[in-house]
Structures are given as structure tokens and as C-alpha cells.
Amino acid sequence: MADDASYDDSLKKLMDDFHASIDVDRRLYKVDIRGSIAYARGLERVGVLTVDECQSIEKGLKEVESEISQGTYHLTRDLEDIHMAVEKRLIEIIGPVGGKLHTGRSRNDQIATDERIYLRETIDGILAQIASCQSALLKLAERTVDVVFPGYTHLQQAQPIRFAQYAMAVMTGLERDKGRLQDCRKRVDVLPLGSGAMAGSAFPLDREFLAQELGFAAISSNSLDAVSDRDFIAEFLSACAMLMIHISRASEDLVVWSSTEFGYVRMHARLATGSSIMPQKKNPDAAELLRGKSGRVVGDLISILTLMKGLPHAYNKDMQEDKEPLFDAIDTVSVALQVYTAIWETLEVRESNVLSRMDDAMLATDLADYLTQCGVPFREGHGIVAAVVDEALRLDCGLRELDPAVYLGFSEHLDEAVVGRLKYRDSADKRDVPGGTSRRSIIEQIRQAESWL
Ligand code: ARG
């Protein structure tokens, strides 16, 4: 250790760097300034600021904002965080009166307010992005209503569907994602400003006025809760994680279906990339990366939950760490939705490949269903058809290639006419309940989904 003074200096430098959040929270400068302008007006309203002082602060804040956006005010680490940076520059520009702005306010209610304004707008943007993705899916559904496709369970061909049924499944999951975000938005839309450090402001602020100025639907009802609460971030990240899981699962479908073995779909060439060694490769990178990015967003959710878990009430410096997962999830989801939308917009379904790979054993349920119409109990019919399928397997042929006599050997009801009627499209159309894969039902689903947009 050199002399005490230089050790002290080095510690100061270490700590300044360590606790500075400006590299991350600089992105809140606009909402921070918007919050401060509203706050200045609030102070003027209750006589803490004169009209002139308020005007001068407002003008100064706008000046700070334009300096930051033009890059002429450098947000360096020694400024600590965005709140201190804005205030410091404000005082430099308009003089000591700028120091009146923070009267009765704490960075604790300030940061919570900033985050809520920021998130409210972000959610609106994500909702719009999901809606455009849904439009792409709706168009895809419209153009694939008559494309038969194997429906899978356990990744084994199960029952024939129309491709549009799949597109609408993806669409429907996104609608729930929108619902979760809209619901979360209601709880984001509550103003903490006026809660001060945690006990509430000692100045008689008109909080309803502040809420109105900042477009909040309500004011927080308990100051201690208001500065402690980061539920709104956890909730948002949870909705984002679920959205990304949906995106990831559909991406996995596409990775499988675009493989040489399946060849059911082709993604736009711009969404695939080649290999540095194998000239033939067209890797489904877009879908793979979407699958990968979902892990990040799940991680962001876990970060915030872990961060908050052991914290006592009110603000703790740990909470400064809430922004990185929040911003990371916002950025990830936003780019993911762009790519995901592009995938659906340009997806090619290769119908003849699909047909050539469909196993007509998928029509077995229809045969069993038919037997029930002849009065055979379903469980018994299931056994009969399983035996027919086993026979086809033994002879290594399709259900429809089996000799009619084989059918009759299993059941008198399985005559040639019945077997001859087994068609993928008819099978799909028999699933005519609401939500089923019949043509009629899918058109109804599409019609209903149009009202979601
Ligand atoms: N930079 C801080 C954060 O992002 C602002 C709130 C600081 N409050 C405090 N009491 N130190 O969380």
C-alpha cells in the first residue's frame, strides 16, 4: 500500500466504476426527463417552484435531452446514473435553481417511474410486433387451408390435418402471449412518483396530476410497496419467456420439417446460411437461433426472480441490476419477432414432398371410428384396426394397398367401399367440431382470428 491518500483514491475509483449504472440506464434518458418535466410542473402546482423556475427547469431539461441525443453531452461513468447525470447538467445549464427539481423526490421513486414509462411503451411496441406476426400467420393459414399435412404426436405421424390448422395453432398461442402482455401492462401502468425514498413525499404533491401528466391510469397506493415493487418486470419477463418458448417450439418444428429427411418446408434462402466447408448446406439458422435466444430470455426471468428473492422491503442497491435482464429481453424479443415474422411470411410448404411421406396408417383412427358406427364398441374396433395395421406392417405395405380380403378377414364391416373411401382430406374434414381441422372449422378459426388483429 502506497500512501493512504492514493489508496483512498484508488478505492474511490474502484467503487465509482463498480456502482455506476449509466452504461445501462442511459437508455432511460428520455423517460427520465419526461418524468422530471412532469415533476417540475407538479412542484409548481403546489408552490414549491415559481412559474418562472418551473419554466426554466423545463427548458433546461429539454436542452439536456437534446444534448444527450446529439451526443454532445457525454454520459461518462463518473456521473453514476442517468438521474444524477441529467440533474448535474441541468444545474450547469440553468444554475442552482436546477437543484430545486429533486425536492421531495428520491431516485427510488424516480427509477421506478422511469422503468414503468419505458416498459409501458415497450409493451405497446411488442404487442404491435406480435400482431404483425399474426397477420403473416393468418395469410399462411389462408393459403394452406387445402394443404394436407401429417399431424404428429410423439413425433410419429398421428392423424391428417390441414397445414392451416398448424398455422392457426401458432397464431393462437401468440394471442395468449398478447393477452399476458396486455394484462401485465395494466399493472405497469401505475405511478410510483410521490413515494419519495419509501415513506411518501413530505411535500403536498398532487399525485393524480402527476399521473395525468405522465399518462398513468392510476397512482400507487402504498409508498413502501411502490419503491419495493419489481413484480412488473418479473411479470413482463415471464410473458416474454413464454412468448420465446412458443417461438422456440415452432422453430423446432421448422428445423425438423426443413431437414432432408422430411423436406416438408423450405425457409427463405436469406434466412438460412451455408457451411464454411460443405457447399450444399442450407442450415435453418434463423429457426435455430430463435430456439437458442429463448434460453436467454428464460435466463433474464430467472435473473430478476433471483435478484429480488432475498431483498428486504424498499430500495436496495441490488435492484440496480434489474435493468440488464429487462433490456436484454426487450432487445432479444424484438429482433426475434422480426425474424419469426419473416419466416412465416416466406415459408414454402412443399406439398408433394409432404404427400409422398405421409403414411396412410394415419387413417387408422377413421377406420376404428367407422366400426363404431357399425355398432362395434370403440375399444374392440381399435383392436381390430391395430391388427390390420400390424398386418400391413408385416407385409411392408400401406393400409390402402392391403388386399380387400385381408380386411374382411378382420371384420365383416371392412368392405372395399369403406377402405376405398379413406382419404386424408376427408379424414381431416370429419374433425368438424369447433377448433377441429375440417375445412369449415379452419375457415371459422381464421374468421375469428381476424378480429384479434
Ligand atoms: N441507479 C439506481 C438504479 O438504477 C437508481 C436508484 C438509486 N437509488 C439509491 N437509493 N441509490 O437502481
Side-chain angles (χ1 to χ4, degrees):
M1 214 179 300
D3 60 283
D4 276 359
S6 81
Y7 182 66
D8 194 71
D9 281 354
S10 73
L11 268 191
K12 180 182 181 313
K13 167 91 181 67
L14 177 66
M15 192 55 196
D16 281 353
D17 268 359
F18 186 55
H19 87 146
S21 60
I22 193 134
D23 292 340
V24 177
D25 62 26
R26 58 194 310 141
R27 109 184 224 178
L28 294 172
Y29 79 92
K30 281 193 178 177
V31 293
D32 189 74
I33 287 170
R34 219 198 298 169
S36 286
I37 289 175
Y39 193 68
R41 290 179 189 163
L43 290 177
E44 188 251 318
R45 200 177 162 83
V46 295
V48 175
L49 293 179
T50 66
V51 176
D52 283 353
E53 286 171 334
C54 178
Q55 274 170 2
S56 152
I57 288 177
E58 202 168 320
K59 202 161 155 275
L61 285 167
K62 285 181 179 151
E63 176 63 28
V64 178
E65 180 177 349
S66 85
E67 286 183 9
I68 297 176
S69 52
Q70 282 162 23
T72 51
Y73 178 34
H74 300 289
L75 300 177
T76 48
R77 283 220 156 160
D78 54 298
L79 293 166
E80 190 185 332
D81 64 20
I82 192 61
H83 323 297
M84 302 307 272
V86 170
E87 188 184 89
K88 179 165 183 278
R89 187 66 193 132
L90 176 69
I91 293 169
E92 279 169 13
I93 297 172
I94 67 168
V97 66
K100 291 192 176 188
L101 172 64
H102 209 53
T103 312
R105 186 173 67 168
S106 156
R107 280 185 291 163
N108 300 351
D109 58 348
Q110 188 177 359
I111 183 61
T113 301
D114 288 4
E115 289 182 317
R116 284 170 183 269
I117 302 175
Y118 189 85
L119 190 51
R120 205 174 50 185
E121 278 159 26
T122 300
I123 291 175
D124 292 340
I126 294 176
L127 285 171
Q129 279 194 292
I130 298 178
S132 33
C133 186
Q134 286 182 307
S135 302
L137 282 158
L138 204 62
K139 289 198 189 93
L140 176 63
E142 275 160 358
R143 70 181 158 90
T144 55
V145 169
D146 290 316
V147 176
V148 291
F149 202 79
Y152 287 84
T153 64
H154 310 263
L155 202 55
Q156 308 271 331
Q157 293 198 7
Q159 289 172 337
I161 59 173
R162 293 161 177 276
F163 189 82
Q165 178 77 350
Y166 175 79
M168 291 308 293
V170 176
M171 166 101 184
T172 306
L174 288 179
E175 188 59 17
R176 284 194 302 279
D177 291 319
K178 263 167 51 191
R180 271 183 279 272
L181 287 166
Q182 282 156 349
D183 197 48
C184 163
R185 192 192 187 286
K186 289 183 212 153
R187 281 175 292 278
V188 172
D189 202 12
V190 177
L191 176 78
L193 198 59
S195 300
M198 50 95 201
S201 174
F203 295 81
L205 292 172
D206 180 347
R207 298 190 62 217
E208 294 290 353
F209 167 81
L210 291 175
Q212 240 172 36
E213 283 287 298
L214 293 168
F216 279 94
I219 59 172
S220 55
S221 59
N222 178 287
S223 60
L224 182 54
D225 174 62
V227 294
S228 304
D229 176 20
R230 291 295 182 272
D231 305 9
F232 64 101
I233 296 183
E235 239 184 299
F236 170 73
L237 293 180
S238 165
C240 287
M242 196 66 247
L243 165 66
M244 289 303 294
I245 296 293
H246 283 153
I247 292 178
S248 182
R249 289 187 68 181
S251 296
E252 170 63 7
D253 288 329
L254 296 174
V255 168
V256 171
W257 294 342
S258 62
S259 67
T260 312
E261 286 70 16
F262 283 74
Y264 292 172
V265 298
R266 198 177 265 153
M267 280 176 271
H268 194 282
R270 290 276 176 225
L271 299 173
T273 61
S275 148
S276 59
I277 177 169
M278 298 166 282
Q280 86 285 9
K281 288 300 280 294
K282 299 225 182 313
N283 297 326
D285 291 37
E288 290 173 285
L289 254 182
L290 287 174
R291 206 172 49 188
K293 298 273 184 197
S294 67
R296 264 180 97 113
V297 178
V298 171
D300 293 329
L301 170 63
I302 301 300
S303 294
I304 193 86
L305 292 174
T306 315
L307 177 69
M308 298 308 293
K309 179 185 173 297
L311 294 189
H313 262 79
Y315 183 84
N316 300 269
K317 189 74 170 189
D318 319 43
M319 286 155 79
Q320 180 162 289
E321 292 289 310
D322 63 352
K323 285 161 217 68
E324 277 172 277
L326 174 64
F327 295 155
D328 182 70
I330 291 171
D331 294 341
T332 307
V333 163
S334 162
V335 69
L337 279 168
Q338 287 175 49
V339 173
Y340 195 54
T341 304
I343 288 182
W344 299 122
E345 271 167 356
T346 56
L347 191 74
E348 182 194 333
V349 183
R350 306 170 76 195
E351 206 173 348
S352 60
N353 271 1
V354 172
L355 277 174
S356 73
R357 286 167 172 73
M358 281 175 77
D359 177 1
D360 68 2
M362 277 192 294
L363 298 166
T365 314
D366 296 289
L367 272 186
D369 287 349
Y370 173 77
L371 288 173
T372 65
Q373 285 165 27
C374 306
V376 181
F378 179 77
R379 190 49 58 213
E380 221 170 278
H382 183 281
I384 294 171
V385 179
V388 174
V389 171
D390 282 347
E391 184 62 5
L393 266 182
R394 198 180 65 80
L395 298 171
D396 199 18
C397 69
L399 270 193
R400 289 176 300 190
E401 288 156 15
L402 273 181
D403 195 300
V406 174
Y407 277 98
L408 287 174
F410 285 104
S411 165
E412 50 169 341
H413 303 295
L414 296 178
D415 59 28
E416 229 170 307
V418 172
V419 177
R421 278 205 303 272
L422 292 177
K423 301 257 172 9
Y424 294 131
R425 249 186 212 99
D426 296 344
S427 166
D429 282 339
K430 268 187 227 141
R431 274 80 193 163
D432 195 34
V433 289
T437 192
S438 72
R439 186 170 213 285
R440 200 196 55 78
S441 162
I442 290 177
I443 300 230
E444 175 58 28
Q445 290 179 50
I446 292 176
R447 207 196 50 74
Q448 191 195 339
E450 276 162 359
S451 71
W452 299 343
L453 301 176

